[in-house]
Amino acid sequence: MAKGLGKGINALFPGETVNETEKVTQIKLTDIKENPHQPRKVFDQQALEELAESIREHGILQPVVVRKKGVKFELVVGERRFRAAKLCKMKEVPAIIKDFNEQQMMELAILENLQREDLTPIEEAEAYQKLMDTLELTQEQLAFRLGKSRPHITNHIRLLTLPTEVRELISDKKLSMGHGRTLLGLRSKKTISETAEKAVKEGLNVRQLENLVQRLNDNVPRETLEKKKDIFIEEKQSELRDRFGTNVQIKKQKNKGKIEIEFFSEDDLERILDLLK
């Protein structure tokens, strides 16, 4: 499968992969309904136009996958090809008919999208969460099955705890995933939205936002913050945040200090304790 998916669809439900030797049938576009479990919220119109142009020149090289739904069919895999074929005003598309149940339909739709590299961080996070919920997997189990690192899964899922308006800023690419993770480090969760708006308005990069969050957490006004940052401490804090997938503070006083690791639930605490072992 595509490199973005790691171990592939077969790792999640063995024996249900799409076999290239299966019979391909031509099905009328008007007989195919869109997948109701499609996790992708936004489809890049320019990318669809480019795919449509390729289809006009070369045809559809990979069949879509559908399942029987009454007298018609429901799309399982191939949403972009299906939409591009519509743009080409094609009457039929090559398709493989599979006998999938509702859960498998949803899983395949999510997995197909995870194979692509243009998902927004929020769409990717929602896809991971949906797979965990439907397959009853822990973050560690999902990471193993997808061939991803556990921090990668954790860092994405934590974005879902951000306020709706902040998630929308990330989806609209006004803020990055790094901005989102930094905002989660705010001790006063009530200030996340206004701090996010400030970051967008002032065009703050992630490092600048980290400094702002640090000041807000320490309740230090900007005009009184004159002490130079310890670059070594900042780098180590950043490394630990990546390692644990949460906010980490190193507080140094002369030759001693302490490390504070933030957690958000009992499960999150267990995850951090596992990493410490």
Side-chain angles (χ1 to χ4, degrees):
M1 303 304 294
K3 66 179 181 178
L5 183 58
K7 298 187 178 182
I9 291 172
N10 196 50
L12 285 168
F13 35 102
E16 292 297 347
T17 54
V18 175
N19 190 326
E20 293 179 359
T21 64
E22 288 182 288
K23 182 180 178 182
V24 177
T25 305
Q26 293 293 326
I27 297 179
K28 291 181 181 178
L29 273 175
T30 53
D31 286 343
I32 302 175
K33 299 178 182 178
E34 293 179 2
N35 189 338
H37 302 294
Q38 172 60 243
R40 185 180 291 272
K41 307 294 190 301
V42 179
F43 287 84
D44 187 313
Q45 192 60 35
Q46 183 178 346
L48 284 177
E49 292 284 359
E50 291 173 357
L51 179 57
E53 185 60 36
S54 174
I55 287 174
R56 289 187 189 100
E57 185 175 352
H58 305 291
I60 296 180
L61 303 180
Q62 184 178 1
V64 300
V65 180
V66 298
R67 72 164 184 169
K68 192 77 173 171
K69 186 73 172 179
V71 296
K72 296 199 173 185
F73 300 90
E74 208 164 55
L75 191 65
V76 180
V77 172
E79 183 90 24
R80 292 179 69 257
R81 278 163 279 157
F82 175 71
R83 289 174 181 247
K86 280 187 173 181
L87 290 178
C88 294
K89 300 188 183 304
M90 294 178 67
K91 294 184 178 180
E92 297 180 331
V93 290
I96 294 173
I97 303 170
K98 297 282 285 186
D99 185 23
F100 288 125
N101 59 35
E102 288 289 331
Q103 180 172 311
Q104 289 173 323
M105 263 196 74
M106 183 195 66
E107 291 162 6
L108 277 171
I110 292 172
L111 289 165
E112 182 197 24
N113 278 286
L114 287 175
Q115 289 177 8
R116 298 184 53 77
E117 298 182 351
D118 59 347
L119 280 179
T120 69
I122 299 301
E123 286 175 330
E124 189 172 344
E126 290 172 341
Y128 291 144
Q129 188 63 61
K130 204 162 189 179
L131 282 173
M132 283 169 41
D133 291 343
T134 55
L135 297 178
E136 298 182 348
L137 298 174
T138 64
Q139 290 182 18
E140 186 172 11
Q141 290 168 333
L142 182 64
F144 176 77
R145 292 196 182 194
L146 293 181
K148 303 280 187 180
S149 70
R150 183 169 175 175
H152 178 88
I153 302 292
T154 299
N155 288 334
H156 278 79
I157 289 177
R158 286 187 65 235
L159 295 178
L160 301 180
T161 65
L162 288 166
T164 302
E165 56 271 22
V166 179
R167 297 202 302 271
E168 288 175 355
L169 290 173
I170 295 174
S171 292
D172 294 339
K173 299 183 179 179
K174 294 179 180 178
L175 291 177
S176 69
M177 179 175 174
H179 285 102
R181 290 176 57 194
T182 301
L183 289 165
L184 286 168
L186 279 166
R187 288 177 180 166
S188 175
K189 303 307 177 188
K190 295 178 181 178
T191 63
I192 288 180
S193 294
E194 63 179 274
T195 306
E197 291 291 348
K198 181 180 179 68
V200 172
K201 185 177 180 180
E202 298 184 10
L204 300 182
N205 61 33
V206 174
R207 177 53 62 88
Q208 290 169 328
L209 181 58
E210 286 177 352
N211 292 336
L212 173 59
V213 167
Q214 180 70 59
R215 289 196 297 271
L216 291 172
N217 283 345
D218 292 343
N219 291 317
V220 179
R222 176 182 295 217
E223 57 271 20
T224 64
L225 190 70
E226 297 177 352
K227 189 170 64 175
K228 290 184 178 179
K229 293 281 184 181
D230 187 323
I231 295 176
F232 174 78
I233 294 295
E234 285 189 349
E235 288 179 350
K236 293 306 172 185
Q237 282 184 161
S238 181
E239 287 177 12
L240 289 172
R241 285 169 186 157
D242 288 340
R243 165 67 174 156
F244 293 107
T246 190
N247 186 45
V248 178
Q249 298 287 332
I250 300 176
K251 298 188 175 181
K252 185 180 176 184
Q253 294 178 342
K254 293 186 178 180
N255 295 322
K256 64 178 183 178
K258 60 183 178 180
I259 299 175
E260 293 182 355
I261 304 174
E262 192 168 335
F263 62 90
F264 299 90
S265 65
E266 288 188 9
D267 286 343
D268 202 28
L269 175 58
E270 286 295 330
R271 175 185 66 80
I272 292 169
L273 291 175
D274 285 344
L275 289 172
L276 286 169
K277 291 178 181 177

